[in-house]
Amino acid sequence: MLTVLAAAGVTGSTAGFVLSAQSQDHALWLIVGFTPRRLRWTLRLEILALALVGAVIGIPLSYATATGILWQWSTIGIVAPGQVPIFEMWQPPTVLLLTVVSAAWGTWGVTRRASRISEMAALREARSGRPHIGWLTAMTAATLFGAGCVIILAITAFPLGGPDDRAAGALSALLVLITATLLVPAWTIRPLLWLWTALVPSRSSSWYLARETCRFASTRSLATVVPFAIGSSLVAVLHGGGTVSGGGSSLAEVGVLIGPTLLVSWTGGVCVIALISRSRSRDHALLEQAGAPPGTVLRVASLEGAIYAATALLYGLVFLLAAVVLLHAVADIGLNSAMTSLPWADFTCLAGLTMGTSIGAVLLSTARRDSRRGARTP
């Protein structure tokens, strides 16, 4: 279920970002004679077709992935060795439905807004890159946030059951809060990005350019940070919180629990970085025309990737600290022992992989785009 939710979140946010990034083209379509209704349904059918194609391609790959997951499960005794996936007729239609619903969720409000906003306003927003949150998404996030808070109040005010039951309730509440906050990243992750980057004491021009790029292009920044934030927060709550509450697990067991989710999240983050390489290449071309040396352009790109990864890791750190404090309050776990028992080595490895994946993807997409642009230059 965690993997399905992560895949739905990555699919919806990526599809929504793709349409938001094309708002300038949509404004031009309206200028040349597209009616709002025609534009809205053209965009929705486009996303529907892409979602169906992606789901059809993914169905055979999913059985190959499931075979690898079952082998992983067999190593710790969950299933018998040699177990293979069992095909059922309901599985392909379910995958198609989930993919289409995820894409529709992420793009319904974007397509509706694209058909209602004026042409000049669309052109301005294409320049600013400011994200927008639909009322349905905001209501869903508020409902989930309220549900998470109610669970926390219930296990603290009415301590029913044993410490293990209360610890499980606390971790469940944090998972609900993760879902709620990631539904509205413009209200949660965006302020976090602005806050911590403002506290960095640096006079480097490369840092300044990378920071302002991430702040200015909020839509693409949030679309990049969200997939990595899904992975870091789930590891913080499930691995860190589970270890503190006494349910220590090996790396193999952690891989079984959230390995597929991390794979989906990181893959989504890399795909978004590849999608925004066109706009990033345009920014770098402007820097080069302004006289910036190639080394500065590469430093800006690497710092931009570092900002994405650091924001996602700080988001996970917030939930890790929340898990420790909450478990201390409801399960009588000492703060000192909790901080000592945390798997810091695993967290360090995760932080390094996240940072390396983000920076490497940004540099690779930038280098490929710049090489193609150079090849086209006479």
Side-chain angles (χ1 to χ4, degrees):
M1 182 59 67
L2 289 174
T3 304
V4 170
L5 290 176
V10 170
T11 302
S13 63
T14 304
F17 163 73
V18 169
L19 288 186
S20 298
Q22 296 176 346
S23 59
Q24 186 173 2
D25 297 335
H26 303 158
L28 295 176
W29 292 358
L30 292 173
I31 291 174
V32 299
F34 264 65
T35 63
R37 178 183 176 85
R38 183 184 177 189
L39 174 62
R40 180 171 63 251
W41 284 105
T42 298
L43 296 177
R44 288 175 179 174
L45 291 175
E46 173 188 341
I47 291 298
L48 174 63
L50 290 173
L52 289 175
V53 170
V56 169
I57 295 174
I59 287 173
L61 296 177
S62 67
Y63 288 97
T65 305
T67 302
I69 292 175
L70 287 173
W71 171 83
Q72 186 186 27
W73 289 2
S74 67
T75 60
I76 59 176
I78 297 179
V79 299
Q83 180 68 54
V84 296
I86 299 175
F87 176 81
E88 298 286 350
M89 292 302 298
W90 59 268
Q91 292 167 355
T94 303
V95 172
L96 293 174
L97 178 62
L98 288 174
T99 306
V100 170
V101 169
S102 301
W105 172 268
T107 58
W108 195 265
V110 177
T111 55
R112 185 168 176 267
R113 179 175 175 79
S115 63
R116 291 190 174 187
I117 192 172
S118 66
E119 294 85 344
M120 293 300 104
L123 290 174
R124 287 195 300 269
E125 289 188 3
R127 297 289 184 180
S128 64
R130 293 179 180 177
H132 293 275
I133 299 175
W135 63 269
L136 181 59
T137 302
M139 289 182 60
T140 304
T143 302
L144 290 175
F145 187 84
C149 293
V150 167
I151 296 174
I152 293 175
L153 290 175
I155 61 177
T156 53
F158 307 100
L160 303 176
D164 292 342
D165 297 328
R166 295 193 295 272
L171 298 182
S172 299
L174 290 176
L175 291 177
V176 174
L177 292 178
I178 288 174
T179 305
T181 53
L182 288 179
L183 279 174
V184 285
W187 298 345
T188 54
I189 292 180
R190 186 167 180 259
L192 177 62
L193 187 151
W194 277 70
L195 177 61
W196 83 262
T197 53
L199 298 177
V200 175
S202 176
R203 296 183 178 180
S204 169
S205 58
S206 300
W207 166 258
Y208 177 80
L209 289 171
R211 184 190 68 182
E212 294 307 308
T213 298
C214 293
R215 288 180 173 184
F216 180 76
S218 297
T219 300
R220 80 183 192 188
S221 296
L222 296 180
T224 306
V225 173
V226 165
F228 293 112
I230 292 174
S232 66
S233 59
L234 289 180
V235 170
V237 171
L238 295 177
H239 188 24
T243 302
V244 170
S245 61
S249 56
S250 65
L251 283 179
E253 293 170 336
V254 172
V256 168
L257 181 63
I258 54 179
T261 306
L262 288 177
L263 179 62
V264 168
S265 302
W266 281 349
T267 303
V270 171
C271 289
V272 173
I273 290 173
L275 286 172
I276 64 179
S277 61
R278 180 179 180 182
S279 59
R280 188 186 301 108
S281 178
R282 184 171 58 247
D283 296 340
H284 294 168
L286 292 175
L287 287 177
E288 292 175 355
Q289 292 300 318
T296 300
V297 174
L298 290 178
R299 283 194 297 271
V300 171
S302 60
L303 286 172
E304 185 179 343
I307 289 174
Y308 295 148
T311 304
L313 293 173
L314 285 174
Y315 176 84
L317 179 62
V318 169
F319 277 94
L320 176 64
L321 297 177
V324 171
V325 172
L326 192 55
L327 290 173
H328 166 71
V330 303
D332 299 326
I333 299 174
L335 287 178
N336 291 333
S337 61
M339 298 301 293
T340 303
S341 63
L342 284 172
W344 292 112
D346 297 345
F347 290 159
T348 303
C349 181
L350 172 69
L353 289 174
T354 303
M355 191 68 67
T357 301
S358 179
I359 296 176
V362 171
L363 290 177
L364 181 61
S365 63
T366 300
R368 292 187 63 182
R369 176 66 65 175
D370 290 346
S371 63
R372 291 177 183 176
R373 191 182 72 244
R376 290 194 299 266
T377 302

